[in-house]
């Protein structure tokens, strides 16, 4: 535990350095944009990586732009994950996590990520992560492969793991579902900094005995959201990437759940729309394109703000944002106590 923590701190500070260097590099990208568009891309070896990169930058020079659709590879994969002896999963959990979040993943496995928590319901959990920052890539990659040998629940996708690439992560996770797990009934996109109550989600919101709802998506719904135009804000949206002054209604990123048939339709339209880095907003844009709206969840069941732990309150909700792994481990034994009547 202690060694892991020290490693985490070391990695953390190294990533800061990498981030700073990255930003400096990024700031030089716009100056590359004004290449005359009439200039031809190099013709020799047209399939080489460098010439494709060249085309990509000429076409989409904005540093927040995402390359999608694109055939990102699955570097750590479990093609048979959904074909286990327990049968097709009712719920596929795609947990968005960073390569260095070893401790966080461990806490989630021991708490809400437990696949056998809801009796009689098949849940399948995968942690989706990208490529580690270059500086520690090799060491971290070795650790990740070791972790995966032990738990068999990592899905590593072939692009840099950054906050700005989260949309790619979610879409690639859904592509994995389309390719290897289309028999799942529902798919949950969830972040790691949450408390989740899978029993309530399955029994009260999704209801296994109810017929499947093909166009279903729910979570905390933001209505009439507006793009943030203050430069430097975490969720800043440059007008050149999204010019309208409203976003369509969308489900908040910490956690939302949809039927897998809707996930497939979202993927289809996602390939035709311009992807933006705010993944929850982008899913909303896809819904709008499909002429659909999120379905309201039972009131106060997806909380986007922190709420102090209370057994009886937490039994009647799905998700609470802003929970750290240590807190999860701390409250979990109490949360599982079956002999309290609320
Ligand atoms: C998952 O839950 C089951 C059933 O409650 C329990 O037996 C098992 O120990 C849990 N697994 C982990 C890793 O906590
Ligand atoms: C997203 O990943 C690509 C591919 O690894 C990387 O080149 C790019 O810098 C990342 N984009 C952002 C905005 O972080």
């Amino acid at each position: 535990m202690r060694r892991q923590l020290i490693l985490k701190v070391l990695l953390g500070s190294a990533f800061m350095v990498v981030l700073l260097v990255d930003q400096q590099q990024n700031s030089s990208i716009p100056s590359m944009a004004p290449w005359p568009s009439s200039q031809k891309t190099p013709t020799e070896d047209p399939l080489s990586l460098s010439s494709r990169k060249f085309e990509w930058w000429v076409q989409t020079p904005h540093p927040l732009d995402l390359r999608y659709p694109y055939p990102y590879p699955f570097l750590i994969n479990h093609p048979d994950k959904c074909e286990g002896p327990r049968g097709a999963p009712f719920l596929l959990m795609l947990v968005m996590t960073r390569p260095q979040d070893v401790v966080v993943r461990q806490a989630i496995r021991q708490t809400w990520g437990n696949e056998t928590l809801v009796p009689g319901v098949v849940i399948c959990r995968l942690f989706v992560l990208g490529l580690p920052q270059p500086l520690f890539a090799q060491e971290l990659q070795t650790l990740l492969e070791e972790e995966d040998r032990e738990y068999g629940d990592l899905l590593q996708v072939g692009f840099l793991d950054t906050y700005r690439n989260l949309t790619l992560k979610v879409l690639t996770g859904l592509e994995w579902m389309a390719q290897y797990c289309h028999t799942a009934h529902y798919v949950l996109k969830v972040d790691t900094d949450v408390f989740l109550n899978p029993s309530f989600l399955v029994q009260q919101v999704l209801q296994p005995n109810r017929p499947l709802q093909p166009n279903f998506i729910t979570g905390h719904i933001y209505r009439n959201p507006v793009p943030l135009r203050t430069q430097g804000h975490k969720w800043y949206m440059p007008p050149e990437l999204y010019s309208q002054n409203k976003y369509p209604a969308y489900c908040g990123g910490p956690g939302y759940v949809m039927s897998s048939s809707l996930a497939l339709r979202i993927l289809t339209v996602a390939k035709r729309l311009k992807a933006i880095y705010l993944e929850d907003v982008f899913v909303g844009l896809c819904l709008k394109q499909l002429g659909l709206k999120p379905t309201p969840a039972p009131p106060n069941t997806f909380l986007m703000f922190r709420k102090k732990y209370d057994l009886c309150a937490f039994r009647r909700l799905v998700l609470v944002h802003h929970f750290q792994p240590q807190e999860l481990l701390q409250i979990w034994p109490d949360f599982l106590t079956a002999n309290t009547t609320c």
Side-chain angles (χ1 to χ4, degrees):
M1 190 70 185
R2 203 202 200 112
R3 265 182 49 209
Q4 277 181 336
L5 276 181
I6 294 172
L7 179 67
K8 230 186 129 185
V9 171
L10 279 177
L11 289 173
S13 40
F15 286 133
M16 281 308 295
V17 174
V18 172
L19 268 178
L20 288 174
V21 174
D22 258 15
Q23 271 167 9
Q24 276 167 8
Q25 284 173 351
N26 276 347
S27 61
S28 69
I29 293 173
S31 66
M32 299 182 69
W35 273 325
S37 52
S38 61
Q39 187 181 333
K40 286 210 171 71
T41 50
T43 43
E44 70 276 15
D45 189 15
L47 284 178
S48 82
L49 204 64
S50 60
S51 70
R52 272 192 276 144
K53 192 168 174 184
F54 176 84
E55 283 172 16
W56 155 244
W57 275 3
V58 170
Q59 285 163 16
T60 50
H62 198 288
L64 287 180
D65 247 333
L66 296 172
R67 187 173 207 177
Y68 192 83
Y70 185 80
Y72 296 107
F74 299 117
L75 300 171
I76 300 179
N77 193 5
H78 297 278
D80 302 331
K81 180 89 185 163
C82 285
E83 292 161 14
R86 298 197 296 154
F90 179 71
L91 180 66
L92 170 67
M93 270 186 190
L94 295 176
V95 188
M96 301 299 137
T97 159
R98 299 175 306 172
Q100 66 269 35
D101 290 340
V102 187
V103 178
V104 183
R105 284 190 290 272
Q106 196 51 24
I108 290 174
R109 287 184 190 106
Q110 290 167 11
T111 57
W112 55 257
N114 186 336
E115 289 179 323
T116 56
L117 205 61
V118 188
V121 173
V122 179
I123 296 180
C124 184
R125 170 198 72 227
L126 270 181
F127 291 106
V128 190
L129 46 99
L131 294 169
Q133 302 285 345
L135 198 51
F136 276 102
Q138 234 154 41
E139 289 81 347
L140 204 45
Q141 192 62 31
T142 309
L143 286 178
L144 286 173
E145 279 158 22
E146 218 170 280
E147 183 184 344
D148 188 62
R149 265 196 298 279
E150 181 145 2
Y151 300 104
D153 59 1
L154 302 189
L155 176 64
Q156 189 181 35
V157 289
F159 49 81
L160 202 60
D161 196 303
T162 63
Y163 178 67
R164 306 291 198 193
N165 269 343
L166 183 56
T167 300
L168 296 183
K169 225 196 236 184
V170 173
L171 293 173
T172 320
L174 295 182
E175 279 174 10
W176 185 88
M177 186 223 74
Q179 201 172 339
Y180 300 108
C181 196
H182 60 272
T183 53
H185 291 196
Y186 292 97
V187 50
L188 168 76
K189 180 267 162 172
V190 65
D191 288 339
T192 51
D193 58 342
V194 303
F195 165 88
L196 183 81
N197 179 353
S199 306
F200 191 91
L201 172 65
V202 167
Q203 307 295 2
Q204 305 299 319
V205 178
L206 303 178
Q207 304 180 19
N209 297 324
R210 189 175 56 169
L212 241 165
Q213 307 171 78
N215 286 326
F216 178 82
I217 179 167
T218 197
H220 174 82
I221 304 173
Y222 287 102
R223 300 177 194 279
N224 304 313
V226 292
L228 282 164
R229 302 296 192 194
T230 317
Q231 282 202 37
H233 194 285
K234 188 183 183 195
W235 299 319
Y236 169 63
M237 180 53 67
E240 59 270 35
L241 291 190
Y242 185 86
S243 57
Q244 279 154 275
N245 54 15
K246 281 265 170 66
Y247 290 137
Y250 67 91
C251 297
Y256 50 86
V257 62
M258 61 183 119
S259 55
S260 52
S261 54
L262 177 58
L264 297 180
R265 297 186 71 194
I266 285 178
L267 271 181
T268 311
V269 293
K271 293 189 168 120
R272 299 199 302 258
L273 293 177
K274 184 174 167 54
I276 57 172
Y277 78 95
L278 297 169
E279 73 37 67
D280 46 7
V281 174
F282 184 61
V283 170
L285 289 170
C286 294
L287 285 179
K288 187 182 168 207
Q289 187 71 19
L290 288 166
L292 298 172
K293 285 195 173 111
T295 305
N300 305 316
T301 52
F302 286 80
L303 306 189
M304 296 296 105
F305 49 87
R306 183 168 164 97
K307 183 183 173 74
K308 197 167 172 294
Y309 173 69
D310 171 77
L311 173 62
C312 293
F314 274 43
R315 277 202 183 153
R316 287 190 294 262
L317 52 74
V318 177
L319 178 135
V320 184
H321 195 193
H322 302 302
F323 260 82
Q324 299 312 312
Q326 291 81 357
E327 297 174 284
L328 279 178
L329 289 169
Q330 214 171 28
I331 65 169
W332 201 252
D334 184 69
F335 183 69
L336 287 186
T337 53
N339 53 5
T340 316
T341 44
C342 288

